Amino acid sequence: MLILVTYDVSTTDAAGRRRLTQVAKKCVDYGQRVQNSVFECVLDSTQFTKLKHELEQLIDDKADSLRFYNLGEKYKTKVEHIGIKTSFNLEGPLIL
């Protein structure tokens, strides 16, 4: 299933800037950055639960926010892209 992860981390202090970096790195482990604070992640339900838990441990819920959008298995008909930043096939082979 495709999960869209968005976050807003307060960066008014050093701790917030550190949290922002940690949240971004954790999201990179699971998916592709499509905007500054937006990631597309193709996950099964176990991976999604794990990602959500790991991100919850990183943020300050009094200053930061996380949003998860579950676009399901048929996400290809629900995502439309216009503009310069193209994406790669989320389910294709990853070549490093």
Side-chain angles (χ1 to χ4, degrees):
M1 68 186 148
L2 180 67
I3 304 293
L4 191 69
V5 180
T6 68
Y7 55 86
D8 187 16
V9 177
S10 174
T11 57
T12 58
D13 59 15
R17 291 187 290 278
R18 188 169 40 258
R19 287 193 313 275
L20 177 65
T21 300
Q22 292 172 332
V23 168
K25 285 181 179 180
K26 184 55 62 183
C27 288
V28 166
D29 289 345
Y30 285 88
Q32 157 181 262
R33 182 189 300 262
V34 294
Q35 297 284 326
N36 284 338
S37 297
V38 181
F39 283 79
E40 291 177 348
C41 306
V42 175
L43 308 169
D44 61 31
S45 59
T46 302
Q47 292 168 318
F48 175 50
T49 300
K50 184 178 179 195
L51 172 61
K52 192 163 66 166
H53 176 74
E54 290 173 354
L55 291 175
E56 286 179 78
Q57 300 303 307
L58 294 175
I59 69 161
D60 175 353
D61 63 357
K62 304 225 183 329
D64 309 330
S65 67
L66 289 169
R67 294 179 74 96
F68 301 95
Y69 298 88
N70 185 338
L71 299 178
E73 297 296 332
K74 297 181 181 179
Y75 64 88
K76 292 176 184 171
T77 62
K78 298 175 185 174
V79 177
E80 191 173 333
H81 174 81
I82 300 170
I84 190 166
K85 190 172 183 180
T86 60
S87 62
F88 58 87
N89 180 355
L90 293 170
E91 296 182 76
L94 182 61
I95 300 171
L96 299 174

